[in-house]
Structure formats: structure tokens, C-alpha cells
Amino acid sequence: MTEEAGPVTKRILVTGGTGLVGKAIEKVVADGEGRPDETWIFVSSRDADLTSAAETKALFEQHKPTHVIHLAAMVGGLFKNIRYNLDFWRRNIHINDNVLHSAYETGVQKVVSCLSTCIFPDKTTYPIDESMVSISIPMYSLGGVPALLNSLLSCPQIHNGPPHNSNFGYSYAKRMIDVQNRGYFEQHGCRFTAVIPTNVFGPYDNFNIEDGHVLPGLIHKVYLAKQTGSALTVWGTGKPRRQFIYSLDLARLFLWVLREYDEVEPIILSVGEEDEVSIKEAAEAIVEAMDFRGELVFDTTKADGQFKKTASNAKLRRYLPSFQFTPFRQAVKETCAWFSANYTSARK
């Protein structure tokens, strides 16, 4: 656990504080984005098992946060999701329920949770946007759970199609955060919201080739291929397309959401549609950044996963029209340099 202190009016607890996004938030806060009236508390699984309701509540009672950024989750890449869909569902449902309920019970003023574009239906129209997960909040009360069920049934958009079957456990668990946020708002008036980032990458990612996400996995593969003089093998055809967001950009946006964004409805945090790249193009950017000169091979016997998840950032741009994202190749170069410099200690 780490804590950045100031004259306290806000105590901000960050779950998953030692992961990819948590470390990025810690860096931007330390680099001058923090405010004097904020105390930042970054916690990890070493501090509490968030699948335990008792340990989660004890963590909240210990730190007494006024605000929470909820990043903790069981996460993994395509092939880990395929193997352990049930585990992803069960662990994340427990974590999310415990964090949100402890926040409610201890009087937390605002929670910002982290969703994923994988929550959207596999078969859908593009670009995807926030309206595809919205549930109307009735302006009347039917009393507790029946009111929430009524709002779900009256607006079926959140369930207008299943997510991709490769990671349905993780996807459904993340969808339920939005359902809970709206339930806590309707029944208790809680200001719980969520962000929906596209594919995040950067320093402190999980660079495990088998279980990590595509970009850090490719960075590790290129590093090893360069060391051994072997070919670089990319799993799949290289054709699927993704919008990648640098973790430090996402961290700056998280701070804005925590301080300024007042809607219960989630907001997509993404680069523009025009910045979408194929896996092949991403691999080529890594090859260039690491000066790899060997052969590039695509193993088409491996699954591609979902072909595309193109998201609109129009809502974000209405709020922040001048926000500057780090160019993709620059962010890749910085991430590759960090991994090479921290190879022995990086998660892999």
C-alpha cells in the first residue's frame, strides 16, 4: 500500500492500485496532477482479499475513503479467458459486489469503476457507444429490488445481445457493475459511475505471453525473439482491429471523471475511431520500437477473438474537446523502453 498525503478533504482509495492503471494514476498524481486537498491511497491484493466481504469492509473502515477508484479485477488475455470463463465471472462478481456495498455502507461519496468494451454485444452496429449499455432510471419508486427489475425490463439495451463467447464470464461480470451502479443510485442516491476504456497498455502491464493482453504479450515476444535471433510468431491472422489507449492518458482521464463527471451513466474513454489499428499494425509498431530485424510470422491456427470493438469517443469529446492523446507509436516506444529497462522485475 502507498499513500500520497495532503491537507485532507478527500481520501481517495484506489483498488488494484499496483496494476497497470493504478500505477499510471499514481505516477500522474505524483507528477503534479494531484491536488493539495487530496490524499491518495493505493492498495493491492496484499492489503485485502476483495473476494471476502469481511476483508473488504475492514479495508474501507481502516482507510475511511470519501472517494474510490475501483480497478481491482481478475484479468487476463484471450486464451486465459477462454480457459477460465467461470472463474472470471465468480471472482469479479464477488469483488465488485463487496467493493460497491462497502462503499455504500461506509458513506463513500463517489465511486468510479472500470468496465471494458468487451461488455458490448458481439453482434452489434459500429461504432459502439454509451447508449448501448444504458438503463433508464425511473423518476418514481416501486420500492427496492422490484424498481430495479422494472427499469431493467423496461429498457433491454444492456442485454440486447451476448458478449463474445471467448470472454463471456468477465464481460457479464463487468456489465453487472453498471446494473449495480444504477441500483445504488435509484435506491440510495449513491453517486456510483463507471468508465469504459478501450484496450489499455503501458508500463507495469502484465507481459505474460500466455495470459497477458495482446500488446504486452507481443512486446515480450519481440524482446525474446531479439535475444535469441528467432522469428516473431504472432498468434492469429493479425487482422482484428483495436483502439489502444496509453495508460498514462487513461490515468489523466480517470482524474477528470473522479473530479468533474457527475453522470451515473458510464462514459467511454478511448482514442478516436480513426486511431484504430490492426494487430498486424500493432506488431509492426513494436518491431520498429525494439529494432527487431527478424522474420514476422502469423500462426493462423490460433484464435483471433473478436474481430473489432470500435468505440465512439463522441461523448468524451463533448466534455473534453481539446484532450490530447499520446500518439500510438510514441506510447508503444515508451512502453517497450520501460519493459526492456525493467525486464527482471516486470510482471511476466
Side-chain angles (χ1 to χ4, degrees):
M1 182 196 75
T2 58
E3 186 166 322
E4 301 281 343
V8 182
T9 58
K10 291 181 182 176
R11 293 181 58 82
I12 304 162
L13 180 72
V14 182
T15 70
T18 58
L20 167 63
V21 181
K23 294 297 284 188
I25 293 174
E26 186 174 24
K27 177 172 173 54
V28 299
V29 167
D31 286 350
E33 296 285 338
R35 294 179 177 175
D37 65 341
E38 295 172 343
T39 292
W40 289 81
I41 305 156
F42 297 84
V43 297
S44 72
S45 56
R46 294 191 191 96
D47 299 292
D49 175 8
L50 299 181
T51 65
S52 161
E55 288 195 32
T56 306
K57 188 170 183 180
L59 181 76
F60 275 70
E61 290 175 341
Q62 175 187 351
H63 294 294
K64 298 177 174 55
T66 60
H67 296 69
V68 173
I69 293 179
H70 174 37
L71 306 174
M74 178 183 178
V75 298
L78 171 64
F79 298 97
K80 185 176 181 180
N81 271 274
I82 290 172
R83 292 194 302 271
Y84 301 112
N85 262 300
L86 177 61
D87 291 353
F88 276 94
W89 160 261
R90 296 190 71 239
R91 286 185 62 82
N92 286 312
I93 281 290
H94 285 307
I95 290 170
N96 298 334
D97 186 51
N98 291 336
V99 167
L100 292 177
H101 200 62
S102 290
Y104 160 66
E105 288 189 319
T106 57
V108 169
Q109 296 171 27
K110 186 172 184 178
V111 178
V112 181
S113 296
C114 192
L115 309 187
S116 165
T117 50
C118 69
I119 66 174
F120 292 100
D122 181 33
K123 308 299 182 185
T124 189
T125 56
Y126 294 100
I128 52 183
D129 62 35
E130 293 86 353
S131 69
M132 295 176 180
V133 292
S134 65
I135 310 169
S136 59
I137 300 294
M139 298 306 292
Y140 52 86
S141 174
L142 296 180
V145 173
L148 177 58
L149 291 175
N150 178 72
S151 67
L152 287 168
L153 292 170
S154 67
C155 188
Q157 288 169 307
I158 195 168
H159 293 300
N160 68 354
H164 193 269
N165 60 12
S166 62
N167 61 353
F168 68 86
Y170 179 81
S171 301
Y172 276 121
K174 286 294 188 179
R175 279 190 188 187
M176 291 304 105
I177 290 179
D178 183 61
V179 174
Q180 288 177 281
N181 285 348
R182 293 166 189 279
Y184 278 107
F185 175 78
E186 182 183 310
Q187 194 166 326
H188 301 296
C190 297
R191 291 172 60 223
F192 296 173
T193 190
V195 302
I196 308 172
T198 47
N199 293 63
V200 191
F201 73 99
Y204 298 97
D205 208 339
N206 178 5
F207 294 85
N208 186 283
I209 292 172
E210 295 286 336
D211 294 337
H213 289 110
V214 59
L215 211 64
L218 284 173
I219 290 171
H220 193 179
K221 279 188 172 185
V222 173
Y223 180 93
L224 293 177
K226 188 175 178 180
Q227 297 293 314
T228 60
S230 57
L232 168 64
T233 301
V234 179
W235 291 342
T237 65
K239 294 178 181 178
R241 304 184 66 80
R242 295 292 183 266
Q243 288 158 291
F244 292 101
I245 182 170
Y246 194 29
S247 58
L248 295 175
D249 292 340
L250 180 60
R252 290 157 55 214
L253 290 171
F254 254 105
L255 266 60
W256 168 77
V257 170
L258 183 76
R259 295 164 177 165
E260 307 293 340
Y261 182 73
D262 288 327
E263 298 184 35
V264 175
E265 180 181 309
I267 185 168
I268 291 171
L269 302 181
S270 174
V271 297
E273 298 164 51
E274 68 278 4
D275 294 314
E276 190 174 56
V277 298
S278 69
I279 301 304
K280 180 176 183 290
E281 291 167 332
E284 290 169 346
I286 296 166
V287 164
E288 178 185 306
M290 301 189 80
D291 194 28
F292 174 73
R293 305 190 182 188
E295 184 183 6
L296 180 59
V297 178
F298 292 88
D299 181 358
T300 58
T301 66
K302 298 288 189 182
D304 268 339
Q306 194 168 2
F307 177 69
K308 64 185 292 184
K309 302 186 284 187
T310 313
S312 169
N313 71 352
K315 181 176 179 178
L316 173 65
R317 283 304 187 193
R318 287 196 296 273
Y319 276 107
L320 297 174
S322 60
F323 185 86
Q324 296 292 312
F325 288 96
T326 306
F328 177 65
R329 285 182 178 270
Q330 178 185 334
V332 167
K333 187 174 181 179
E334 292 178 10
T335 304
C336 291
W338 182 90
F339 179 68
S340 297
N342 295 275
Y343 183 77
T344 56
S345 60
R347 284 188 297 161
K348 59 187 183 299

